[in-house]
């Protein structure tokens, strides 16, 4: 998995700081997660190929997470896109986008599919043979979902030396990777585990923004490879976090620790803090493996 | 009048080229004209004070002219704006903005007034004692207005030396600037013209984007101090201009010449042209005083 941070600051776009959007590359997919104003420019700046984006996941309908969506959809149209585009987001997102396209008589010439969400329980909203995406209901001022991206176990890896030594014909290799046994040179069946390695363990990425401290999510994100958790405030401004239903860096770290994730990525910083290191320091008092999201940063998960 | 180009390219935002938005400073007002995605960032980049913007004029509801509006309105709210904001634009603009604010439960805490336009004849949409704004109905694929910003004649300028020589008491100075005669040291009435200079001639700025070649506008913009006229294409792509109801640089220049304006500003360039000088060269075959709009350029009118 490769995560590209297009923007990770809260609220108002600035010359040097973009609000939330990120691209997750997983098993051949490029998933766009949130789409603040300016996302299409950030996609170009960081050389993300527009045509590879087919699924957009919108956490909630605050402007700093979705005001760039209609512009992106329009730009796709102007560029002659043909591939379908699927939008997953809170109920109302379809009306907001289509109204604006209608006012400009700018209908898309590609398939635009809205998957509106209103369920308050986790639900699988995308699934193929390699990956699934499940909502993570969060606690914010408006209906909000995080998203859990989970790889499915891959094929077993062929131990090509072992297979050759045993004289297994290469016509069996595909079946072997799927877990089947295969005959050796003498026609005796070789157990699959003797000619394969275990596949890489499936990875998972949990995206949780925006949300108050909400331990109800812990069972769902347990043992995730990486957790992006918003940290709009430092503990210094705990009162503001509580009032606006955001989290502090310390709270994000507490979630990471309790969920036993491998890696915590912080973001959605309030503009009031000149130095982001304070977020890392505060979180690391509780949870060691902390990365600060920054616009343009690419994170291997 | 001072015009700041925030963006002047057509269609899709790019890292180095913003779609349409500009700020006109006239008689103490800062008028925002069109508001493409990214406008709030451009306003900050070019240090336009948010609180001075009180009137926004939207020509039409294509994304490259208005997708930045809702974000700007939201940002004003987040920054604690208190002053009223007036939006002038095609019918539908109110619903589009309010729907998005409603979805995010993000109502403004300042007065937000929409002045929706649907008239196909020119109409005065703003007026005070110093300036008026009149729509310029244009010919585009959707309902579109340009805007004519016209200064009203200012006060006469006091010829302070003449007034002193005649012994006019300074308590009359304000009245003199308003055009009244005043008594000299001997109580004889001095004609106003003998102790004042003419005011600066009122200026006018005509903003015309987007539009096909549309000579019907000429009577309305006759003798304007400056005309911004879209030039999406060069004559080379006349067929595209006609098909999409845009103009070529040559057509923009023809309008400028026939309307006898002082200065022509070109903009709304298609992204297909690597070198914008071709726009200037093409226009100057017909009309000499041509300026190419460029993001960040400040033009004295």
């Amino acid at each position: 998995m490769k995560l590209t941070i297009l923007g990770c600051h809260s609220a108002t776009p600035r010359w040097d700081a973009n609000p939330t959007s990120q691209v997750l590359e997983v098993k051949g997919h490029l998933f766009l997660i949130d789409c603040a104003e300016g996302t299409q420019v950030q996609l170009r700046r960081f050389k993300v190929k527009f045509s590879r984006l087919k699924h957009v996941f919108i956490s909630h309908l605050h402007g700093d997470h979705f005001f760039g969506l209609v512009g992106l959809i329009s730009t796709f149209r102007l560029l002659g896109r043909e591939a379908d585009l699927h939008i997953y987001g809170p109920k109302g997102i379809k009306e907001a986008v289509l109204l604006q396209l209608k006012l400009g008589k700018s209908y898309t010439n590609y398939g635009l599919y809205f998957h509106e969400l209103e369920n308050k329980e986790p639900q699988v909203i995308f699934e193929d043979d390699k990956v699934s995406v499940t909502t993570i209901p969060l606690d914010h001022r408006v209906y909000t979902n995080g998203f859990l991206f989970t790889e499915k176990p891959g094929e077993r890896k062929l131990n090509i030396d072992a297979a050759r030594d045993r004289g297994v014909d290469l016509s069996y290799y595909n079946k072997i990777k799927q877990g089947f046994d295969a005959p050796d040179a003498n026609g005796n069946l070789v157990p699959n585990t003797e000619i394969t390695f275990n596949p890489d363990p499936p990875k998972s990425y949990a995206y949780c923004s925006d949300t108050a401290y909400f331990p109800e999510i812990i069972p769902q994100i347990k043992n995730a490879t990486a957790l992006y958790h918003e940290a709009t405030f430092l503990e210094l401004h705990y009162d503001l976090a509580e009032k606006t239903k955001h989290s502090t860096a310390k709270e994000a770290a507490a979630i990471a620790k309790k969920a036993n994730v491998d890696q915590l990525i912080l973001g959605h910083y309030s503009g009031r803090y000149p130095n982001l290191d304070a977020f890392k320091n505060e979180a690391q008092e509780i949870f060691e493996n902390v990365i600060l999201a920054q616009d343009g940063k690419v994170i291997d998960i």
Side-chain angles (χ1 to χ4, degrees), chain A:
Chain A
M1 288 188 178
K2 191 177 85 172
L3 182 69
T4 302
I5 307 293
L6 303 175
C8 63
H9 296 262
S10 71
T12 69
R14 285 171 289 163
W15 166 220
D16 56 350
N18 290 272
T20 304
S21 184
Q22 38 185 259
V23 174
L24 180 70
E25 183 166 2
V26 48
K27 300 272 186 186
H29 290 291
L30 274 194
F31 293 131
L32 184 64
I33 308 168
D34 280 338
C35 190
E37 184 173 348
T39 293
Q40 58 178 311
V41 172
Q42 293 295 86
L43 285 166
R44 291 204 166 167
R45 186 178 299 176
F46 301 121
K47 305 196 190 314
V48 178
K49 215 171 167 203
F50 282 3
S51 61
R52 285 193 60 200
L53 293 172
K54 291 176 183 158
H55 303 273
V56 182
F57 300 88
I58 302 291
S59 63
H60 66 299
L61 299 184
H62 280 156
D64 58 327
H65 293 253
F66 105 106
F67 281 169
L69 181 61
V70 66
L72 186 68
I73 288 170
S74 292
T75 290
F76 283 167
R77 180 186 65 85
L78 286 164
L79 297 178
R81 180 188 179 99
E82 294 181 352
D84 291 345
L85 185 68
H86 293 267
I87 313 287
Y88 307 78
K91 190 165 169 59
I93 195 168
K94 179 177 178 178
E95 186 187 359
V97 170
L98 293 190
L99 172 62
Q100 291 176 87
L101 297 182
K102 192 183 90 180
L103 287 170
K105 294 186 185 167
S106 303
Y107 305 100
T108 62
N109 41 2
Y110 56 90
L112 182 61
Y113 298 94
F114 290 89
H115 306 266
E116 293 200 314
L117 308 175
E118 44 187 333
N119 203 324
K120 288 178 179 173
E121 299 298 321
Q123 57 178 145
V124 176
I125 54 174
F126 173 83
E127 185 165 28
D128 67 6
D129 57 342
K130 291 184 178 159
V131 61
S132 70
V133 185
T134 311
T135 58
I136 307 171
L138 298 174
D139 179 25
H140 194 41
R141 303 193 304 277
V142 295
Y143 175 71
T144 303
N145 289 297
F147 302 103
L148 179 65
F149 300 85
T150 311
E151 292 180 351
K152 296 191 176 174
E155 293 189 324
R156 296 191 64 77
K157 292 184 170 181
L158 183 68
N159 180 343
I160 195 150
D161 292 334
R164 278 187 187 143
D165 286 349
R166 305 291 284 267
V168 175
D169 190 82
L170 53 78
S171 65
Y172 291 102
Y173 284 6
N174 271 337
K175 281 287 181 191
I176 292 168
K177 285 191 263 184
Q178 291 165 31
F180 292 93
D181 301 336
D184 65 12
N186 306 319
N188 299 319
L189 219 52
V190 184
N192 183 276
T193 51
E194 293 181 13
I195 46 175
T196 59
F197 301 113
N198 287 335
D200 292 332
K203 293 173 179 173
S204 60
Y205 171 59
Y207 170 85
C208 295
S209 184
D210 295 353
T211 187
Y213 176 70
F214 193 49
E216 284 84 338
I217 66 177
I218 291 168
Q220 211 194 332
I221 65 173
K222 198 90 188 171
N223 303 322
T225 318
L227 165 65
Y228 177 94
H229 196 290
E230 73 126 294
T232 307
F233 297 104
L234 298 173
E235 274 293 298
L236 171 68
H237 294 111
Y238 173 79
D239 55 328
L240 279 179
E242 202 168 33
K243 187 174 151 199
T244 58
K245 292 211 167 194
H246 283 298
S247 300
T248 67
K250 184 178 170 187
E251 289 173 327
I255 296 287
K257 185 179 172 73
K258 290 178 187 174
N260 191 41
V261 303
D262 292 349
Q263 186 176 55
L264 170 63
I265 304 162
L266 296 180
H268 204 264
Y269 322 109
S270 160
R272 78 192 61 223
Y273 305 107
N275 182 357
L276 299 182
D277 288 340
F279 285 88
K280 189 169 185 174
N281 296 339
E282 181 172 300
Q284 283 186 324
E285 288 177 19
I286 291 178
F287 182 86
E288 179 55 31
N289 192 6
V290 176
I291 291 183
L292 291 179
Q294 286 184 292
D295 296 4
K297 188 178 264 190
V298 178
I299 300 167
D300 276 314
I301 295 175

